[in-house]
């Protein structure tokens, strides 16, 4: 073949030049082109030398001008350079072959070879120089480069014209001319017409242009941001050697997140998110986000990576078909048919080079595809997070936090994973097209049968695909429902354990999982059918094709048969992958639909509040004729006709009964409530303190600073004002103590005071307090009011909601709310006589005071407020001596490092290799592992039958049409079809058994983990953020459900296939083992070397996901607070940081995988090359050519299978970590038994309700100090006992110990003579009742909230509702008892939730009732109502009350005053009040003085 496509000349180059038409000869064009490339190389070299002498960065001159890392210019130039270098490399190789074929005598081929060599080198050098410094600003291209490009464009055009004029030009030369001309056009456009985006505009020509001189500033920035990937050279990038240092570090020690390098700017979400948002907004054009617009934005945000991966995928596909195309030629060669000298070596080199290109392109395709996936996932997570910060409350009610977290953790991840499959649809067409071309060459029109069979199989798959999509949607819906409930249950686990309801709620989770399992079962069995159809496809295609050959009379020869079989084997890859591709397309579409529908939800109305800059108005807050409603469509708006004017420095109090709209009024000023009409204006910055404390996980200091820089003096003032100084002294780490999730290791009062401190430290202009004093004791409340509202905030505008009437007289304006309206407004004395609503509140307060006064009014009414001297509150006012407290704490804490552990530890992760025990447990969990041998046997039989059928075809067909066939045609086809059908049945058995075992195992693991978590002690939930549990219940469970069974199957299948291939190859030559054994040894060494780093990276992926989920969850629950402080941008930054922290180990894990696979590919290619060299070296006739051809056919897959085996092994080890993590939580120590059959109390127990406590000592964890230090007392049956004490004194701990939420470290508690430590937890907890400090409602109905165990009739439930004054409220609702309750009961006010808790205890009617600050969130009138109801219905019960309001405990029979975990006083209120120096007397004196002063 004449490579140049011109009339061949016999003379030297001069002969062409002397001829009259030498200017039109292709060889002349090659000479000119070669000369041009020499010039480019010289200029680049001079540029490099010059810059080195000046101490600047090599090829910067060229690259600075062409490069804009954000723009089209640089990327297009780099892409053109790479493509042209690759094309020149291919053509150089071909010209070298043809030169060698001519016996090194063809001078034209020599000229072509040198020309293409120079072009390859120059374009590679330009590509490298462009790549090596990717962070310069774009500037205009250098003058000399523009001149060179103009010449190159002219020569490319000239070359295209001259080649077109020739009569016999090879197609590849024309293709090259077109590509070169197109590239030259694009390069010239960028160089001459692309706009300059910045930088110097120095117009000096040639080598003196800017950048050659260097720019130390830019260079410094570049080096600061450099990562191993971004600074790697071209060879390092090709071979993934840039991963070497990290893998080496992983071998020396377990990797931590600090060891993992940062991401480059182009892969960081910080740079990706704004671009993605801009693209999404530009494509939306003001309309909502649709799935198509989301896909479009995703494509354009990663289009460069997508196009590059498409290029690599194309090269890989073409290279993979070189082998099958040449098998027939190879078999003919082995049979003695030679076309030219050294044909065997040319074939071997071609086979090897094709393998090399296939390997390189596949590795870079896979890596860059994953990179694109990481970018897409990060961008989507950022958008979902952004949306969660702006979501309106009405929209949020329709989407629970569990659902939103699922969008981030599952759906965004699935869209990212789709990058693996995004090229599969068009690649299938290309692969089928190439396969048909090879088949047509070998078998003629019989290839049409192959096409029809392939199309039929694909058509058969469509109904399965649609079913798969439906199953996937339903599966995700079911998973959402389960995750929603799981999230809610984990948040409220304390109340579930107190009530003894945890097993009932566990059964609810199991029921939800059962629904999910129904769809999962359908999904996996449908997958098994699809798998069977496609594994059977190559067999069907081959039977159809060979059958067509017989019918059409096309002779079957072994070489052509083997070529066809090799083609079918390669065609298997897209066919095997097609089910997964269809499944992934379906899953991704479902996920994109879900994300798009979420992004379409309504945001908060931006125009609800008109925000004016500070000082621009003399009014701080102004609300004019405003009607606002949480539900805009509701006929009854939340707030009606609101008019309000707050001047700077004013104190405005808001009061009213439960559900009157007090919190909604504050929310409307924050802009949270949709506006129907009117105006709301706010002048200055805002700070907000919510009714339910919102505390972030992290240090106390960080919670108070909340993004502001530390100013020590202001910080100390805030701590003092919020009474936090002494609390911090008690804590081991002071303000560096890490708070658990939702502040679990703090008391309710401490959480509230930290919230107030956070608001104070912000130094805002307007403060909004939503009843913050109700959660703290009377003394602390008084101190906070005086020091905070009347002290630090004396010059600020403050609007505060309160139920405590004593805080009203200090207000400049009082608003009385009723039914969503301001019924009264004015100063205290003005409105006292102007209406009835305010008088009702005051009357309730007077009633409460009368109770206190009736006990000992005369002894306390005239005493001065405790500890008040010149406006200073003394330390001893809190009821215990501070020095003594410090001493006690010190004595109780041994001087060991163990005591200096934080409650919330970093997430535990295993280190080193995954224990074999984990694999064994997984394999044997389903049916004791009984199905595993059958799965393996089915695959072994499949492999034997498949090899047997191929061997049969190779043996039974002649290697040429002149040779007689050993068997007749009918026998040939009958045996082949029988073997093919047998192998297909084996696949069906294997696929069915595999999904059955996987499904059963996933179900068992789910039940084990959830049962163990629900039975774990409360200390587990206190020290374990729910994000960790959610991560296992969501991501890890998904891996167990849908990924790990197939990973196990893939390992078994690949091992069996590999053994089969080696077996076939060894039949030809046992010498293969001489190479195979050392190569396998090297492969195993590489795998072990790699896995140490990869395993830890995979674990880091798991560990770094939980903080991301937790931050997400906290943001959703605290979005109102975040918005009120204008902290959205900081939280976005934190989310991006955590997002990148999750992407980093994933990125380097992908790099490590490709590092390994590249090396394994190289090793397996060596085995293949050695086998080929051996086959062409032995004399003709020694080996049966058909058998040798079969060995080559199987050998073509050797590198793919060997790499795939290691890939699947590593993938399995990475994914099995999900099983390891689930098993970790399936072995958490449990609480004591729920029921001890041998020691069950009588049915009537407790009959008296006497509680006897003896020497009770309690600590929350072995490494923490004692909280209760030897308490001894008795609560007499039928009496009311009040427990009081300063915040953090141990009141709630005592109650938790009574319910055995915390197990005592020493001492005992007896109820009616029964030691509660000796009976089951449910026997104890179900016999006690509690109204907890935080009123909790669960998503569901009113009925399910009152009676979750379904023990009572509707009549009993209505009776309880009427008793707690909620009957009328529920009757108003359409669905009565079946009225819906949203997540956390958010569609009910805090007071109404507390009344529901009262309804629960009224239903239960236990002999012992505990009230844990139960009336903190209600107004005084509702508090009096609750107390009256309790006195009426629990008169014969033991009632233990923890309260901050003295009126709630003053009429108790006994009062227990706790101080620092010990009993300071315990007696009847009358006796304690007689002793004027008692701490209780001081508390009562302060309360009454403060309260009665309100009316003076």
């Amino acid at each position: 073949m004449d490579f140049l496509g011109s009339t061949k000349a016999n003379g030297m180059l001069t002969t062409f030049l002397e001829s009259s038409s030498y200017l039109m000869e292709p060889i002349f064009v090659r000479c000119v082109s070669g000369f041009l490339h020499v010039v480019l190389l010289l200029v680049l070299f001079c540029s490099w030398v010059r810059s080195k002498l000046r101490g600047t960065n090599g090829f910067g001159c060229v690259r600075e001008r062409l490069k804009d890392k954000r723009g089209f210019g640089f990327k297009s130039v780099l892409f053109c350079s790479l493509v042209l270098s690759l094309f020149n490399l291919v053509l150089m190789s071909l010209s070298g072959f043809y030169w060698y074929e001519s016996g090194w005598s063809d001078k034209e081929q020599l000229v072509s070879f040198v020309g293409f060599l120079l072009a390859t080198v120059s374009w590679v050098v330009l590509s490298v120089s462009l790549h090596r410094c990717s962070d310069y600003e774009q500037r205009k291209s250098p003058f000399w480069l523009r001149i060179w490009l103009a010449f190159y464009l002219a020569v490319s055009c000239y070359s295209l014209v001259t080649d077109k004029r020739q009569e016999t030009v090879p197609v590849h030369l024309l293709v090259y001319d077109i590509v070169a001309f197109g590239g030259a056009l694009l390069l010239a456009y960028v160089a001459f017409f692309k706009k300059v985006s910045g930088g110097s505009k120095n117009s000096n020509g040639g080598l003196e242009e800017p950048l050659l001189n260097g720019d130390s500033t830019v260079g410094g920035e570049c080096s600061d941001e450099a990562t191993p990937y971004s600074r790697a050279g071209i060879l390092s990038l090709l071979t993934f050697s840039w991963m070497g240092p990290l893998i080496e570090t992983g071998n020396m020690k377990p990797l931590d997140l600090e060891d993992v390098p940062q991401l480059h700017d182009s892969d960081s979400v910080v740079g990706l998110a704004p671009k993605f948002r801009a693209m999404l907004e530009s494509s939306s054009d003001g309309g909502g986000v649709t799935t198509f617009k989301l896909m479009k934005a995703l494509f354009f945000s990663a289009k460069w990576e997508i196009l590059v991966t498409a290029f690599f995928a194309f090269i890989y596909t073409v290279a993979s078909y070189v082998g099958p195309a040449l098998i027939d030629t190879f078999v003919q060669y082995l049979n003695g048919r030679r076309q030219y000298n050294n044909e065997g070596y040319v074939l071997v080199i071609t086979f090897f080079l094709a393998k090399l290109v296939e390997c390189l392109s596949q590795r870079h395709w896979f890596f860059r595809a994953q990179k694109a996936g990481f970018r897409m996932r990060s961008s989507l997570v950022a958008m979902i997070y952004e949306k969660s910060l702006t979501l309106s409350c009405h929209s949020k009610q329709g989407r629970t936090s569990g659902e939103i977290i699922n969008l981030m953790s599952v759906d965004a991840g699935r869209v990212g994973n789709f990058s693996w499959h995004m090229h599969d649809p068009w690649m299938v067409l290309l692969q089928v097209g190439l396969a048909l071309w090879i088949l047509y060459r070998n078998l003629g029109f019989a290839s049409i049968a192959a096409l029809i069979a392939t199309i039929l199989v694909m058509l058969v798959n469509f109904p399965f695909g649609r079913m798969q999509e439906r199953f996937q949607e339903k599966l995700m819906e079911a998973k959402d429902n389960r995750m929603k409930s799981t999230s809610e249950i984990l948040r409220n686990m304390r109340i579930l354990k107190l009530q003894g309801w945890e097993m009932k709620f566990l059964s609810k989770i199991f029921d939800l999982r059962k629904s999910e399992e129904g769809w999962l079962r359908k999904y996996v069995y449908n997958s098994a059918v699809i798998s069977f159809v496609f594994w059977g496809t190559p067999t069907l295609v081959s039977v159809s094709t060979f059958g067509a050959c017989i019918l059409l009379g096309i002779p079957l020869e072994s070489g052509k048969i083997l070529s066809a079989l090799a083609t079918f084997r390669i065609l298997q890859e897209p066919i095997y992958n097609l089910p997964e591709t269809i499944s992934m397309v379906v899953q991704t579409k479902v996920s994109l639909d879900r994300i798009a529908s979420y992004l379409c939800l309504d945001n908060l109305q931006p125009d609800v509040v008109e925000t004016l800059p500070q000082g621009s108005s003399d009014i701080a807050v102004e609300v004019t004729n405003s009607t606002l409603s949480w539900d805009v469509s509701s006929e009854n708006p939340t707030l009606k006709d609101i008019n309000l004017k707050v001047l700077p420095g004013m104190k405005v109090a808001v009061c009213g009964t439960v559900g009157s709209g007090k919190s909604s009024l504050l929310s409307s000023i924050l802009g949270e409530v949709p506006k129907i009409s009117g105006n709301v204006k706010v002048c200055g910055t805002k700070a907000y303190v919510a009714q339910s404390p919102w505390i972030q996980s992290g240090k106390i200091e960080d919670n108070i600073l909340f993004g502001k820089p530390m100013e020590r003096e202001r910080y100390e003032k805030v701590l003092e004002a919020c009474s936090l100084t002494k609390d911090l002294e008690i804590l081991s780490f002071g303000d560096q103590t890490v708070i658990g999730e939702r502040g679990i290791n703090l008391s309710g009062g401490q959480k509230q005071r930290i919230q107030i401190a956070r608001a104070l430290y912000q130094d805002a202009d307007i403060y909004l307090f939503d009843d913050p004093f109700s959660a703290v004791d009377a003394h602390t409340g008084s101190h906070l009011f005086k020091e905070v509202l009347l002290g630090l905030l004396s010059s600020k505008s403050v609007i505060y909601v309160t139920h405590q009437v004593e805080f009203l007289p200090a207000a400049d304006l009082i608003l009385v709310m009723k039914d969503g309206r301001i019924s009264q407004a004015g100063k205290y004395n003005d409105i006292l006589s102007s209406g009835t609503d305010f008088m009702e509140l005051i009357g309730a307060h007077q009633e409460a005071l009368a109770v206190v006064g009736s006990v000992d009014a005369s002894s306390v009414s005239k005493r001065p407020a405790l500890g008040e001297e010149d406006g200073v509150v003394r330390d001893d006012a809190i009821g215990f001596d501070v020095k003594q407290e410090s001493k006690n704490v010190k004595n109780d804490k041994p001087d060991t490092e163990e005591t200096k552990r934080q409650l919330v530890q970093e997430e535990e992760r295993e280190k080193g290799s995954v224990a074999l025990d984990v694999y064994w447990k997984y394999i044997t969990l389903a049916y004791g592992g009984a199905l595993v041998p059958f799965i393996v046997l089915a695959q072994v039989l499949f492999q034997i039958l498949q090899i047997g059928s191929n061997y049969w075809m190779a043996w039974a067909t002649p290697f040429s049409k002149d040779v007689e066939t050993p068997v007749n045609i009918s026998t040939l086809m009958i045996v082949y079809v029988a073997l093919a059908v047998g192998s297909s049945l084996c696949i069906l058995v294997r696929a069915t058994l595999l999904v059955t075992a996987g499904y059963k195992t996933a179900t068992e693991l789910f039940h084990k983990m959830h049962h163990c978590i629900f039975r774990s002690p409360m200390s587990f939930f206190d020290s374990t953020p729910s994000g960790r549990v959610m991560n296992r219940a969501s991501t890890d469970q998904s891996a167990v459900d849908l990924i790990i069974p197939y990973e196990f199957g893939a390992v078994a299948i690949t091992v069996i296939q590999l053994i089969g291939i080696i077996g076939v190859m060894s039949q030809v030559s046992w010498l293969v083992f001489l190479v195979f054994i050392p190569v396998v040894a090297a492969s195993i060494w590489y795998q072990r070397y790699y896995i140490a780093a990869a395993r830890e990276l995979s674990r880091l992926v798991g560990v770094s996901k939980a903080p991301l989920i937790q931050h997400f969850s906290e943001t959703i629950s605290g979005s109102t607070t975040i918005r009120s402080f204008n902290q959205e941008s900081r939280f976005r930054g934190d989310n991006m940081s955590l997002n990148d922290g999750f992407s980093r180990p994933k990125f380097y894990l992908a790099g490590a995988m490709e590092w390994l696979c590249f090396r394994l590919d190289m090793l397996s290619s060596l085995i293949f090359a050695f086998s080929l060299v051996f086959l062409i070296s032995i004399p003709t006739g020694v080996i049966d050519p058909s058998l040798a051809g079969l060995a080559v056919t199987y050998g073509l897959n050797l590198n793919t299978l060997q790499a795939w085996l290691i890939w699947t092994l590593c993938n399995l080890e990475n994914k099995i970590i999900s099983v390891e993590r689930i098993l970790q939580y399936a072995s958490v120590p449990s609480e004591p038994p729920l029921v001890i059959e041998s020691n069950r109390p009588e049915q009537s127990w407790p009959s008296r309700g006497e509680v006897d406590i003896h020497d009770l000592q309690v600590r929350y964890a072995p490494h923490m100090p004692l909280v209760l230090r030897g308490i001894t007392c008795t609560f007499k049956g039928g009496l009311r006992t009040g427990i009081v004490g300063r915040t953090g004194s141990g009141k709630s701990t005592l109650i938790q110990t009574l319910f055995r939420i915390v197990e005592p470290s020493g001492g005992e508690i007896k109820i009616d003579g029964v030691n509660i430590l000796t009976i089951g937890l449910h026997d104890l907890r179900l016999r006690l009742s509690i109204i907890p400090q935080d009123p909790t409602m669960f998503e569901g109905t009113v009925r399910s909230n009152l009676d979750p165990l379904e023990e009572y009739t509707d009549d009993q439930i209505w009776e309880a509702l009427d008793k707690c004054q909620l009957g009328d409220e529920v009757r108003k609702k359409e669905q009565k008892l079946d009225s819906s309750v949203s997540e956390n009961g958010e569609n009910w006010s805090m007071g109404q939730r507390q009344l529901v808790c009262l309804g629960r205890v009224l239903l239960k009617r236990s002999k012992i009732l505990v009230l844990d600050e139960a009336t903190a969130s209600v107004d005084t009138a509702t508090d009096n109502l609750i107390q009256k109801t309790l006195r009426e219905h629990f008169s014969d019960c033991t009632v233990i009350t923890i309260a901050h309001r003295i009126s709630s405990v003053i009429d108790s029979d006994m009062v227990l005053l706790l101080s620092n975990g010990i009993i300071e006083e315990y007696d009847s209120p009358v006796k304690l009040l007689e002793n004027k120096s008692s701490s209780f007397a001081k508390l009562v004196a302060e309360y009454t003085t403060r309260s009665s002063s309100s009316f003076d």
Side-chain angles (χ1 to χ4, degrees), residues 73 185 308 365 405 571 641 679 772 775 863 869 1068 1077 1092 1392 1466:
L185 262 179
V308 170
W365 164 29
I405 288 166
L571 198 55
D641 305 323
N679 292 303
R863 291 182 61 83
E869 293 172 11
V1068 176
I1077 291 168
Q1392 288 171 327
Y1466 182 45

Side-chain angles (χ1 to χ4, degrees), residues 1446-1491:
I1446 296 298
S1447 58
S1448 299
V1449 294
I1450 197 72
D1451 64 339
S1452 301
D1453 300 303
M1454 300 290 285
V1455 170
L1456 174 70
L1457 195 145
L1458 287 176
S1459 170
N1460 194 29
I1462 55 174
I1463 296 176
E1464 187 170 319
E1465 295 168 1
Y1466 182 45
D1467 212 330
S1468 69
V1470 174
K1471 286 187 180 176
L1472 288 174
L1473 288 171
E1474 283 173 359
N1475 177 6
K1476 305 303 179 188
S1477 62
S1478 74
S1479 296
F1480 183 69
K1482 291 175 184 177
L1483 280 175
V1484 173
E1486 180 185 2
Y1487 175 78
T1488 49
T1489 304
R1490 184 186 70 196
S1491 300

Side-chain angles (χ1 to χ4, degrees), residues 596-641:
S597 70
Y598 174 70
L599 295 178
C600 278
L601 292 175
D602 292 336
N603 287 341
L604 286 168
Q605 290 179 7
D607 58 345
V608 171
V609 177
E610 184 185 340
T611 306
L612 305 172
Q614 183 185 1
S616 63
S617 171
D618 57 354
I619 297 173
V621 178
E622 186 176 17
V623 184
T624 315
N625 299 326
S626 291
T627 299
L628 307 102
S629 181
W630 291 110
D631 183 3
V632 181
S633 60
S634 171
E635 293 178 6
N636 187 23
T638 312
L639 298 171
K640 299 174 275 286
D641 305 323

